[in-house]
Amino acid sequence: MAARIFGLLALLIVGAAAVIALVEILPLRRDIAARETNLGAREAKLKQPPPPSPDEAVAPGNAEQRYFVFLHSLQAIAAKNGISIPQISYQRAAPDKDSSLRRYVVETTFASPHLQLRGFIRDLRTLPGVRCERLTVSRPNIGATQVEVRLQCSFLVEAAR
């Protein structure tokens, strides 16, 4: 008699678990999958990655347009490496009368872990027309994980005469 009661109780517990699975778990999985798909589609619409290099600016690109693409690429490279650049100063260098090249100088200061800084500089050097002219790295104390960085680089672009 006790075996029948325990068997019936076990059957009721298994039945209740099956009902819970059908009513709660399976619809929840479908809902999560639908939301992930919707979120992925919305994310794809929002992300418009910058061109990988200033040389791939949409034609006909003048020097200023290519320079702004470079600035966008600089910020994208920093974000990719987990670096936030809160301040950038940039200016056009004095033009050389005999040259069709325009030179823009970019200076920035930021704090970053050393490993992320190395990745940022490595990726920055792959941009055509970019030259890192001055890089100053300092650490406030030996136990600090962040380094203070001051970077000056120039961007050269050929301008139409």
Side-chain angles (χ1 to χ4, degrees):
M1 179 77 172
R4 283 186 183 168
I5 293 175
F6 285 124
L8 185 60
L9 199 54
L11 188 60
L12 285 174
I13 291 174
V14 168
V19 168
I20 290 173
L22 289 173
V23 173
E24 296 290 329
I25 297 173
L26 294 178
L28 187 62
R29 281 188 180 170
R30 276 187 246 122
D31 183 52
I32 290 173
R35 288 178 187 227
E36 284 177 347
T37 304
N38 184 18
L39 184 61
R42 288 176 41 204
E43 182 181 23
K45 285 182 186 177
L46 292 176
K47 283 189 177 176
Q48 296 177 350
S53 72
D55 284 340
E56 296 178 9
V58 178
N62 62 23
E64 284 78 20
Q65 289 171 335
R66 293 180 58 196
Y67 175 63
F68 288 122
V69 169
F70 156 71
L71 289 176
H72 186 69
S73 298
L74 176 79
Q75 288 289 348
I77 289 171
K80 180 183 114 180
N81 286 288
I83 295 175
S84 173
I85 300 180
Q87 176 184 354
I88 292 181
S89 64
Y90 45 89
Q91 65 185 15
R92 184 174 168 199
D96 185 9
K97 293 178 183 177
D98 297 335
S99 177
S100 65
L101 293 178
R102 286 195 185 163
R103 180 173 174 261
Y104 297 91
V105 178
V106 176
E107 290 186 43
T108 183
T109 57
F110 56 92
S112 165
H114 190 263
L115 187 59
Q116 291 173 338
L117 173 64
R118 288 179 57 189
F120 172 71
I121 296 297
R122 179 191 64 234
D123 292 344
L124 187 63
R125 287 183 176 169
T126 63
L127 290 177
V130 176
R131 180 177 67 200
C132 294
E133 295 177 344
R134 206 174 297 146
L135 176 66
T136 306
V137 179
S138 63
R139 186 181 306 249
N141 63 40
I142 196 67
T145 58
Q146 298 275 333
V147 292
E148 299 293 326
V149 180
R150 182 178 174 135
L151 173 67
Q152 178 183 354
C153 60
S154 65
F155 175 68
L156 294 171
V157 63
E158 189 170 3
R161 287 188 175 206

